[in-house]
């Protein structure tokens, strides 16, 4: 599942760099692939931490929606400890 996606991403990014962006040199293609993969990893970490925090505190937020940001503020540091 997820591991397969991670393994395919560099191939997809290389295809995009060559076909869509029309990059010619190998170093330019590799720079594009590494850059895109880096931003993918950042987005993945951000989404994982945010989703983990939301999932962990969803019941509390539903019970007290006006305190949603405060609940997230208290639960986010516990999820960030994962890294």
């Amino acid at each position: 599942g997820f591991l397969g996606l991670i393994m395919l991403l560099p191939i997809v990014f290389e295809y995009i760099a060559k076909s869509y962006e029309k990059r010619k040199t190998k170093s330019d293609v590799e720079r594009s692939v590494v850059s895109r993969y880096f931003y993918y990893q950042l987005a993945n970490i951000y989404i994982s931490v945010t989703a983990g925090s939301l999932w962990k505190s969803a019941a509390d937020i539903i019970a007290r929606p006006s305190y949603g940001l405060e609940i997230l503020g208290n639960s986010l540091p516990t999820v960030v400890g994962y890294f």
Side-chain angles (χ1 to χ4, degrees):
F2 188 68
L3 185 57
L5 173 66
I6 290 174
M7 291 172 57
L8 285 176
L9 278 177
I11 297 167
V12 171
F13 292 157
E14 183 176 353
Y15 176 78
I16 290 170
K18 289 179 179 178
S19 300
Y20 181 71
E21 296 175 341
K22 306 289 188 212
R23 298 190 185 256
K24 302 290 183 208
T25 63
K26 183 175 181 178
S27 61
D28 202 20
V29 170
E30 289 177 355
R31 188 177 316 117
S32 175
V33 169
V34 169
S35 175
R36 287 180 187 277
Y37 198 72
F38 173 75
Y39 288 120
Y40 165 77
Q41 291 293 337
L42 282 179
N44 189 19
I45 290 170
Y46 177 76
I47 290 169
S48 297
V49 168
T50 305
S53 180
L54 285 172
W55 185 259
K56 185 175 181 179
S57 55
D60 293 336
I61 292 172
I62 291 171
R64 298 180 298 160
S66 61
Y67 293 101
L69 292 177
E70 183 179 340
I71 293 168
L72 282 177
N74 291 330
S75 68
L76 192 61
T78 61
V79 179
V80 172
Y82 169 75
F83 299 104

Coordinates of all heavy atoms in Angstrom, one line a residue:
G1 N 0.8 -1.2 0.0 CA 0.0 0.0 0.0 C 0.8 1.3 0.0 O 1.3 1.8 -1.0
F2 N 1.1 1.7 1.2 CA 1.8 3.0 1.3 C 3.2 2.9 0.9 O 3.8 3.8 0.3 CB 1.7 3.5 2.8 CG 2.2 4.9 3.0 CD1 1.6 6.0 2.5 CD2 3.3 5.1 3.8 CE1 2.0 7.2 2.7 CE2 3.8 6.3 4.0 CZ 3.2 7.4 3.4
L3 N 3.9 1.8 1.2 CA 5.3 1.6 0.8 C 5.4 1.6 -0.7 O 6.4 2.1 -1.3 CB 5.8 0.3 1.4 CG 7.3 0.0 1.2 CD1 8.2 1.2 1.7 CD2 7.7 -1.3 1.9
G4 N 4.4 1.0 -1.4 CA 4.4 1.0 -2.8 C 4.3 2.4 -3.4 O 5.0 2.7 -4.4
L5 N 3.6 3.2 -2.8 CA 3.5 4.6 -3.2 C 4.8 5.3 -3.0 O 5.2 6.1 -3.9 CB 2.4 5.4 -2.4 CG 2.3 6.9 -2.7 CD1 1.8 7.2 -4.1 CD2 1.3 7.5 -1.7
I6 N 5.4 5.1 -1.9 CA 6.7 5.8 -1.7 C 7.8 5.3 -2.7 O 8.6 6.1 -3.1 CB 7.2 5.5 -0.2 CG1 6.3 6.3 0.7 CG2 8.6 5.9 0.0 CD1 6.5 6.0 2.2
M7 N 7.7 4.0 -3.1 CA 8.6 3.5 -4.1 C 8.4 4.0 -5.5 O 9.3 4.2 -6.3 CB 8.6 2.0 -4.1 CG 9.2 1.4 -2.8 SD 8.9 -0.4 -2.6 CE 9.7 -1.0 -4.1
L8 N 7.1 4.3 -5.8 CA 6.7 4.8 -7.1 C 6.9 6.3 -7.3 O 7.0 6.8 -8.4 CB 5.3 4.5 -7.4 CG 5.0 3.0 -7.8 CD1 3.5 2.8 -7.9 CD2 5.8 2.6 -9.0
L9 N 6.9 7.1 -6.2 CA 7.0 8.5 -6.3 C 8.2 9.0 -7.1 O 8.0 9.9 -7.9 CB 7.0 9.2 -4.9 CG 5.6 9.3 -4.3 CD1 5.7 9.9 -2.9 CD2 4.7 10.2 -5.2
P10 N 9.4 8.5 -6.8 CA 10.6 9.0 -7.6 C 10.4 8.8 -9.1 O 10.8 9.6 -10.0 CB 11.8 8.3 -7.1 CG 11.4 7.9 -5.7 CD 9.9 7.7 -5.7
I11 N 9.8 7.7 -9.5 CA 9.6 7.3 -10.9 C 8.5 8.3 -11.5 O 8.7 8.9 -12.6 CB 9.1 5.9 -11.0 CG1 10.2 4.9 -10.6 CG2 8.7 5.6 -12.5 CD1 9.7 3.5 -10.4
V12 N 7.5 8.6 -10.8 CA 6.5 9.5 -11.2 C 7.1 10.9 -11.3 O 6.8 11.7 -12.3 CB 5.2 9.5 -10.3 CG1 4.3 10.6 -10.6 CG2 4.5 8.2 -10.3
F13 N 7.8 11.3 -10.3 CA 8.4 12.7 -10.3 C 9.4 12.8 -11.5 O 9.5 13.9 -12.1 CB 9.1 13.0 -9.0 CG 8.2 13.1 -7.8 CD1 8.6 12.9 -6.5 CD2 6.9 13.5 -8.0 CE1 7.7 13.1 -5.5 CE2 6.0 13.7 -7.0 CZ 6.4 13.5 -5.7
E14 N 10.2 11.7 -11.8 CA 11.1 11.8 -12.9 C 10.3 11.9 -14.2 O 10.7 12.7 -15.1 CB 11.9 10.5 -12.9 CG 13.0 10.5 -14.0 CD 13.9 9.3 -14.0 OE1 13.8 8.5 -13.1 OE2 14.7 9.2 -14.9
Y15 N 9.2 11.2 -14.4 CA 8.4 11.3 -15.6 C 7.9 12.8 -15.7 O 7.9 13.3 -16.8 CB 7.2 10.3 -15.5 CG 6.3 10.5 -16.7 CD1 6.6 9.9 -17.9 CD2 5.1 11.1 -16.5 CE1 5.7 10.0 -19.0 CE2 4.2 11.2 -17.6 CZ 4.6 10.7 -18.8 OH 3.7 10.8 -19.9
I16 N 7.4 13.3 -14.6 CA 6.9 14.7 -14.7 C 8.0 15.7 -15.1 O 7.8 16.6 -15.9 CB 6.3 15.1 -13.3 CG1 5.0 14.4 -13.1 CG2 6.1 16.6 -13.2 CD1 4.5 14.5 -11.6
A17 N 9.2 15.5 -14.5 CA 10.4 16.4 -14.8 C 10.7 16.3 -16.3 O 11.0 17.3 -16.9 CB 11.6 16.0 -14.0
K18 N 10.7 15.1 -16.9 CA 11.1 14.9 -18.3 C 10.0 15.3 -19.2 O 10.3 16.0 -20.2 CB 11.6 13.5 -18.5 CG 12.9 13.1 -17.9 CD 13.2 11.7 -18.1 CE 14.6 11.3 -17.5 NZ 14.9 9.9 -17.8
S19 N 8.8 14.8 -19.0 CA 7.7 15.0 -19.9 C 7.0 16.3 -19.8 O 6.8 17.0 -20.8 CB 6.7 13.9 -19.8 OG 7.3 12.6 -20.0
Y20 N 6.7 16.7 -18.6 CA 5.9 17.9 -18.4 C 6.8 19.2 -18.3 O 6.5 20.2 -19.0 CB 5.0 17.8 -17.2 CG 4.1 19.0 -16.9 CD1 3.1 19.2 -17.7 CD2 4.4 19.8 -15.9 CE1 2.2 20.3 -17.5 CE2 3.6 20.9 -15.6 CZ 2.5 21.2 -16.4 OH 1.7 22.2 -16.2
E21 N 7.8 19.1 -17.5 CA 8.7 20.2 -17.3 C 9.8 20.4 -18.4 O 10.4 21.4 -18.5 CB 9.4 20.1 -16.0 CG 8.4 20.2 -14.8 CD 9.1 20.0 -13.5 OE1 10.2 19.5 -13.4 OE2 8.5 20.4 -12.4
K22 N 9.9 19.3 -19.2 CA 10.9 19.3 -20.3 C 12.3 19.6 -19.9 O 13.1 20.3 -20.5 CB 10.5 20.4 -21.4 CG 9.1 20.2 -21.9 CD 9.0 19.0 -22.8 CE 7.6 19.0 -23.4 NZ 7.0 17.8 -23.6
R23 N 12.7 19.0 -18.7 CA 14.1 19.1 -18.2 C 15.0 18.2 -19.1 O 14.6 17.1 -19.4 CB 14.2 18.8 -16.8 CG 13.3 19.8 -15.9 CD 13.6 19.6 -14.5 NE 12.7 20.5 -13.7 CZ 13.0 21.6 -13.2 NH1 14.3 22.0 -13.2 NH2 12.2 22.3 -12.5
K24 N 16.2 18.7 -19.4 CA 17.0 18.0 -20.4 C 18.2 17.2 -19.7 O 18.4 16.1 -20.0 CB 17.6 18.9 -21.4 CG 16.6 19.7 -22.2 CD 15.8 18.8 -23.1 CE 14.8 19.6 -23.9 NZ 13.7 18.9 -24.4
T25 N 18.9 17.9 -18.8 CA 20.1 17.2 -18.2 C 19.7 16.3 -17.0 O 18.7 16.5 -16.3 CB 21.0 18.3 -17.7 OG1 20.4 19.1 -16.6 CG2 21.5 19.2 -18.8
K26 N 20.5 15.3 -16.8 CA 20.2 14.4 -15.7 C 20.2 15.1 -14.3 O 19.4 14.8 -13.5 CB 21.3 13.2 -15.7 CG 21.0 12.2 -14.7 CD 22.0 11.0 -14.9 CE 21.7 10.0 -13.8 NZ 22.5 8.8 -13.9
S27 N 21.2 16.0 -14.2 CA 21.3 16.7 -12.9 C 20.1 17.6 -12.6 O 19.6 17.7 -11.5 CB 22.6 17.5 -12.8 OG 22.6 18.5 -13.8
D28 N 19.5 18.2 -13.7 CA 18.3 19.0 -13.5 C 17.1 18.1 -13.2 O 16.3 18.5 -12.4 CB 18.1 19.8 -14.8 CG 17.2 21.0 -14.6 OD1 17.1 21.5 -13.5 OD2 16.7 21.5 -15.6
V29 N 17.0 17.0 -13.8 CA 15.9 16.0 -13.5 C 16.0 15.5 -12.1 O 15.0 15.5 -11.4 CB 15.9 14.8 -14.5 CG1 15.0 13.7 -14.1 CG2 15.6 15.3 -15.9
E30 N 17.2 15.2 -11.7 CA 17.4 14.7 -10.3 C 17.1 15.8 -9.3 O 16.6 15.5 -8.2 CB 18.8 14.1 -10.1 CG 19.0 12.8 -10.9 CD 20.4 12.3 -10.8 OE1 21.3 13.0 -10.2 OE2 20.7 11.2 -11.3
R31 N 17.5 17.0 -9.6 CA 17.2 18.1 -8.7 C 15.7 18.3 -8.5 O 15.2 18.5 -7.4 CB 17.9 19.4 -9.2 CG 17.8 20.5 -8.2 CD 18.5 21.8 -8.7 NE 19.8 21.5 -9.3 CZ 20.1 21.8 -10.6 NH1 19.2 22.3 -11.4 NH2 21.3 21.5 -11.0
S32 N 15.0 18.2 -9.6 CA 13.6 18.3 -9.6 C 12.9 17.1 -8.8 O 12.0 17.4 -7.9 CB 13.0 18.3 -11.0 OG 11.6 18.3 -11.0
V33 N 13.4 15.9 -9.0 CA 12.9 14.8 -8.3 C 13.1 14.9 -6.8 O 12.2 14.7 -5.9 CB 13.5 13.4 -8.8 CG1 13.1 12.3 -7.9 CG2 13.0 13.2 -10.2
V34 N 14.3 15.3 -6.4 CA 14.7 15.4 -5.0 C 13.9 16.5 -4.3 O 13.4 16.4 -3.2 CB 16.2 15.6 -4.8 CG1 16.5 16.0 -3.4 CG2 16.9 14.4 -5.2
S35 N 13.7 17.6 -5.0 CA 12.9 18.7 -4.5 C 11.5 18.4 -4.3 O 10.9 18.6 -3.2 CB 13.0 19.9 -5.5 OG 12.2 21.0 -5.0
R36 N 10.9 17.7 -5.3 CA 9.5 17.3 -5.1 C 9.3 16.3 -4.0 O 8.4 16.3 -3.2 CB 9.0 16.7 -6.4 CG 8.7 17.7 -7.5 CD 8.2 17.0 -8.7 NE 8.1 18.0 -9.8 CZ 7.1 18.8 -10.0 NH1 6.1 18.7 -9.1 NH2 7.0 19.6 -11.0
Y37 N 10.3 15.3 -3.9 CA 10.2 14.3 -2.8 C 10.3 15.0 -1.4 O 9.7 14.6 -0.5 CB 11.3 13.3 -3.1 CG 11.0 12.0 -2.3 CD1 10.0 11.1 -2.7 CD2 11.7 11.6 -1.2 CE1 9.7 9.9 -2.0 CE2 11.5 10.5 -0.5 CZ 10.5 9.6 -0.9 OH 10.2 8.5 -0.3
F38 N 11.2 15.9 -1.3 CA 11.4 16.7 -0.1 C 10.1 17.3 0.3 O 9.6 17.2 1.5 CB 12.5 17.7 -0.2 CG 12.6 18.6 1.0 CD1 13.2 18.1 2.1 CD2 12.1 19.9 0.9 CE1 13.3 19.0 3.3 CE2 12.3 20.7 2.0 CZ 12.8 20.3 3.2
Y39 N 9.4 18.0 -0.6 CA 8.2 18.7 -0.3 C 7.0 17.7 0.0 O 6.2 17.9 0.9 CB 7.7 19.6 -1.4 CG 8.6 20.9 -1.4 CD1 9.3 21.2 -2.5 CD2 8.7 21.7 -0.3 CE1 10.1 22.3 -2.6 CE2 9.5 22.8 -0.3 CZ 10.2 23.1 -1.4 OH 11.0 24.2 -1.5
Y40 N 7.1 16.5 -0.6 CA 6.1 15.4 -0.3 C 6.3 15.0 1.1 O 5.4 14.8 1.9 CB 6.3 14.3 -1.3 CG 5.6 13.0 -0.8 CD1 4.3 12.9 -0.9 CD2 6.4 12.0 -0.1 CE1 3.6 11.7 -0.4 CE2 5.7 10.9 0.3 CZ 4.4 10.8 0.2 OH 3.8 9.7 0.7
Q41 N 7.6 14.8 1.5 CA 7.9 14.4 2.9 C 7.4 15.4 3.9 O 6.8 15.0 5.0 CB 9.4 14.1 3.1 CG 9.8 12.8 2.3 CD 9.3 11.6 2.9 OE1 8.8 11.5 4.0 NE2 9.2 10.6 2.0
L42 N 7.7 16.7 3.7 CA 7.2 17.7 4.6 C 5.7 17.7 4.7 O 5.1 17.8 5.8 CB 7.6 19.1 4.1 CG 9.1 19.5 4.4 CD1 9.3 20.9 3.8 CD2 9.4 19.5 5.8
A43 N 5.0 17.6 3.6 CA 3.5 17.5 3.6 C 3.0 16.3 4.3 O 2.1 16.4 5.1 CB 3.0 17.6 2.2
N44 N 3.7 15.2 4.1 CA 3.3 13.9 4.8 C 3.4 14.1 6.3 O 2.5 13.6 7.0 CB 4.2 12.8 4.2 CG 3.7 11.5 4.7 OD1 2.5 11.3 5.1 ND2 4.5 10.5 4.6
I45 N 4.5 14.6 6.8 CA 4.7 14.8 8.2 C 3.6 15.7 8.8 O 3.0 15.5 9.8 CB 6.1 15.3 8.5 CG1 7.2 14.2 8.2 CG2 6.2 15.8 9.9 CD1 8.6 14.7 8.3
Y46 N 3.4 16.9 8.1 CA 2.4 17.8 8.5 C 1.0 17.2 8.6 O 0.3 17.3 9.6 CB 2.4 19.0 7.6 CG 1.4 20.1 8.0 CD1 1.5 20.9 9.1 CD2 0.2 20.2 7.3 CE1 0.6 21.8 9.4 CE2 -0.8 21.1 7.6 CZ -0.6 21.9 8.7 OH -1.5 22.8 9.0
I47 N 0.7 16.5 7.6 CA -0.7 15.8 7.5 C -0.8 14.8 8.6 O -1.8 14.6 9.3 CB -1.0 15.3 6.1 CG1 -1.2 16.4 5.2 CG2 -2.2 14.4 6.1 CD1 -1.2 16.0 3.7
S48 N 0.3 14.0 8.8 CA 0.3 12.9 9.8 C 0.1 13.5 11.2 O -0.7 13.0 12.0 CB 1.6 12.1 9.7 OG 1.7 11.5 8.5
V49 N 0.8 14.5 11.5 CA 0.8 15.1 12.8 C -0.6 15.7 13.1 O -1.3 15.5 14.1 CB 1.9 16.1 13.1 CG1 1.6 17.0 14.3 CG2 3.2 15.4 13.1
T50 N -1.1 16.5 12.1 CA -2.4 17.1 12.2 C -3.5 16.1 12.3 O -4.4 16.2 13.1 CB -2.6 18.1 11.0 OG1 -1.5 19.0 10.9 CG2 -3.9 18.9 11.2
A51 N -3.5 15.1 11.4 CA -4.5 14.1 11.4 C -4.5 13.3 12.7 O -5.6 13.0 13.3 CB -4.4 13.2 10.2
G52 N -3.3 13.0 13.2 CA -3.2 12.3 14.4 C -3.8 13.0 15.6 O -4.4 12.5 16.5
S53 N -3.5 14.3 15.6 CA -4.0 15.2 16.7 C -5.5 15.3 16.6 O -6.2 15.2 17.6 CB -3.3 16.5 16.6 OG -3.8 17.4 17.6
L54 N -6.0 15.5 15.4 CA -7.5 15.6 15.2 C -8.2 14.3 15.6 O -9.2 14.3 16.3 CB -7.8 15.9 13.8 CG -7.6 17.4 13.4 CD1 -7.8 17.5 11.9 CD2 -8.5 18.3 14.1
W55 N -7.6 13.2 15.2 CA -8.2 11.9 15.5 C -8.2 11.6 17.0 O -9.2 11.1 17.5 CB -7.4 10.8 14.7 CG -8.0 9.4 14.9 CD1 -7.7 8.4 15.7 CD2 -9.2 8.9 14.2 NE1 -8.5 7.4 15.6 CE2 -9.4 7.6 14.7 CE3 -10.0 9.5 13.2 CZ2 -10.5 6.9 14.2 CZ3 -11.1 8.7 12.8 CH2 -11.3 7.4 13.2
K56 N -7.1 12.0 17.6 CA -7.0 11.7 19.0 C -8.0 12.5 19.9 O -8.5 12.1 20.9 CB -5.6 12.0 19.5 CG -5.3 11.7 20.9 CD -3.8 11.9 21.2 CE -3.5 11.5 22.7 NZ -2.1 11.7 23.0
S57 N -8.3 13.7 19.4 CA -9.1 14.6 20.2 C -10.5 14.9 19.6 O -11.2 15.8 20.0 CB -8.4 15.9 20.4 OG -8.0 16.5 19.2
A58 N -10.9 14.1 18.6 CA -12.1 14.4 17.9 C -13.3 14.3 18.8 O -14.2 15.2 18.7 CB -12.3 13.4 16.8
A59 N -13.4 13.4 19.7 CA -14.5 13.3 20.6 C -14.6 14.5 21.5 O -15.7 15.0 21.7 CB -14.4 12.0 21.5
D60 N -13.5 15.0 22.0 CA -13.5 16.2 22.9 C -14.0 17.4 22.1 O -14.7 18.2 22.6 CB -12.1 16.4 23.5 CG -11.7 15.3 24.5 OD1 -12.6 14.7 25.0 OD2 -10.5 15.1 24.6
I61 N -13.5 17.5 20.8 CA -13.9 18.7 20.0 C -15.4 18.6 19.7 O -16.0 19.7 19.7 CB -13.0 18.7 18.7 CG1 -11.6 19.0 19.1 CG2 -13.6 19.8 17.8 CD1 -10.6 18.9 17.9
I62 N -15.9 17.4 19.4 CA -17.3 17.3 19.2 C -18.1 17.7 20.4 O -19.2 18.3 20.3 CB -17.7 15.9 18.6 CG1 -17.1 15.7 17.2 CG2 -19.2 15.7 18.6 CD1 -17.1 14.3 16.7
A63 N -17.6 17.3 21.6 CA -18.4 17.5 22.8 C -18.3 19.0 23.2 O -19.3 19.6 23.7 CB -17.8 16.7 24.0
R64 N -17.2 19.7 22.9 CA -17.0 21.1 23.3 C -16.4 21.8 22.1 O -15.2 22.1 22.1 CB -16.1 21.2 24.5 CG -16.7 20.6 25.7 CD -15.8 20.7 26.9 NE -14.5 20.0 26.7 CZ -13.4 20.3 27.3 NH1 -13.4 21.2 28.3 NH2 -12.3 19.6 27.1
P65 N -17.2 22.1 21.0 CA -16.6 22.7 19.8 C -16.0 24.1 20.1 O -15.1 24.5 19.4 CB -17.8 22.8 18.9 CG -19.0 22.3 19.6 CD -18.6 21.8 20.9
S66 N -16.5 24.9 21.0 CA -15.9 26.2 21.3 C -14.5 26.1 21.8 O -13.8 27.1 21.7 CB -16.8 27.0 22.2 OG -16.9 26.3 23.5
Y67 N -14.1 25.0 22.4 CA -12.7 24.8 22.9 C -11.9 24.0 21.9 O -10.8 23.5 22.3 CB -12.8 24.1 24.2 CG -13.4 24.9 25.3 CD1 -14.7 24.7 25.7 CD2 -12.7 25.9 26.0 CE1 -15.3 25.4 26.7 CE2 -13.3 26.7 27.0 CZ -14.6 26.4 27.4 OH -15.2 27.2 28.3
G68 N -12.3 23.9 20.6 CA -11.6 23.1 19.7 C -10.1 23.5 19.5 O -9.2 22.6 19.5
L69 N -9.8 24.7 19.4 CA -8.4 25.1 19.2 C -7.6 24.9 20.5 O -6.4 24.4 20.4 CB -8.3 26.6 18.8 CG -8.8 26.9 17.4 CD1 -8.7 28.4 17.2 CD2 -8.0 26.2 16.4
E70 N -8.2 25.1 21.6 CA -7.5 24.8 22.9 C -7.2 23.3 23.0 O -6.1 22.9 23.4 CB -8.3 25.3 24.1 CG -7.6 25.1 25.4 CD -8.4 25.6 26.6 OE1 -9.3 26.5 26.3 OE2 -8.2 25.2 27.7
I71 N -8.2 22.5 22.7 CA -8.0 21.0 22.8 C -6.9 20.6 21.8 O -6.0 19.8 22.2 CB -9.4 20.3 22.4 CG1 -10.4 20.6 23.5 CG2 -9.1 18.8 22.3 CD1 -11.8 20.2 23.2
L72 N -6.9 21.1 20.6 CA -5.9 20.8 19.6 C -4.5 21.2 20.1 O -3.5 20.5 20.0 CB -6.1 21.4 18.3 CG -7.2 20.7 17.4 CD1 -7.4 21.5 16.1 CD2 -6.7 19.3 17.1
G73 N -4.5 22.4 20.7 CA -3.2 22.9 21.3 C -2.6 22.1 22.3 O -1.4 22.0 22.5
N74 N -3.5 21.4 23.1 CA -3.0 20.5 24.2 C -2.7 19.1 23.6 O -1.8 18.5 24.2 CB -4.1 20.4 25.3 CG -4.2 21.7 26.0 OD1 -3.3 22.4 26.2 ND2 -5.4 21.9 26.5
S75 N -3.3 18.7 22.6 CA -3.1 17.3 22.1 C -2.0 17.3 21.0 O -1.4 16.2 20.9 CB -4.4 16.7 21.5 OG -4.7 17.4 20.3
L76 N -1.7 18.4 20.4 CA -0.7 18.4 19.3 C 0.7 18.0 19.9 O 1.4 17.2 19.3 CB -0.6 19.7 18.6 CG 0.2 19.8 17.3 CD1 -0.4 18.8 16.3 CD2 0.2 21.2 16.8
P77 N 1.2 18.5 21.0 CA 2.5 18.2 21.5 C 2.6 16.7 21.8 O 3.7 16.1 21.7 CB 2.6 19.0 22.8 CG 1.7 20.1 22.6 CD 0.6 19.6 21.8
T78 N 1.6 16.0 22.2 CA 1.7 14.6 22.4 C 1.9 13.8 21.2 O 2.6 12.7 21.2 CB 0.4 14.0 23.2 OG1 -0.7 14.2 22.4 CG2 0.3 14.8 24.5
V79 N 1.3 14.2 20.1 CA 1.5 13.5 18.8 C 2.8 13.8 18.2 O 3.5 13.0 17.5 CB 0.3 13.9 17.8 CG1 0.5 13.2 16.5 CG2 -1.0 13.5 18.4
V80 N 3.3 15.1 18.3 CA 4.6 15.5 17.8 C 5.7 14.6 18.4 O 6.8 14.4 17.8 CB 4.8 17.0 18.0 CG1 6.2 17.4 17.6 CG2 3.8 17.7 17.2
G81 N 5.6 14.2 19.6 CA 6.6 13.3 20.2 C 6.9 12.1 19.5 O 7.9 11.4 19.7
Y82 N 6.0 11.7 18.5 CA 6.2 10.6 17.7 C 7.5 10.7 16.9 O 8.2 9.7 16.7 CB 5.1 10.4 16.7 CG 5.2 9.4 15.6 CD1 5.1 8.1 15.9 CD2 5.5 9.9 14.3 CE1 5.3 7.2 14.9 CE2 5.7 8.9 13.3 CZ 5.6 7.6 13.6 OH 5.8 6.7 12.6
F83 N 7.9 11.9 16.5 CA 9.1 12.1 15.7 C 10.3 12.3 16.6 O 11.4 12.3 16.3 CB 8.9 13.3 14.8 CG 7.8 13.2 13.9 CD1 6.6 13.8 14.1 CD2 7.9 12.3 12.8 CE1 5.6 13.6 13.2 CE2 6.9 12.2 11.9 CZ 5.7 12.8 12.1

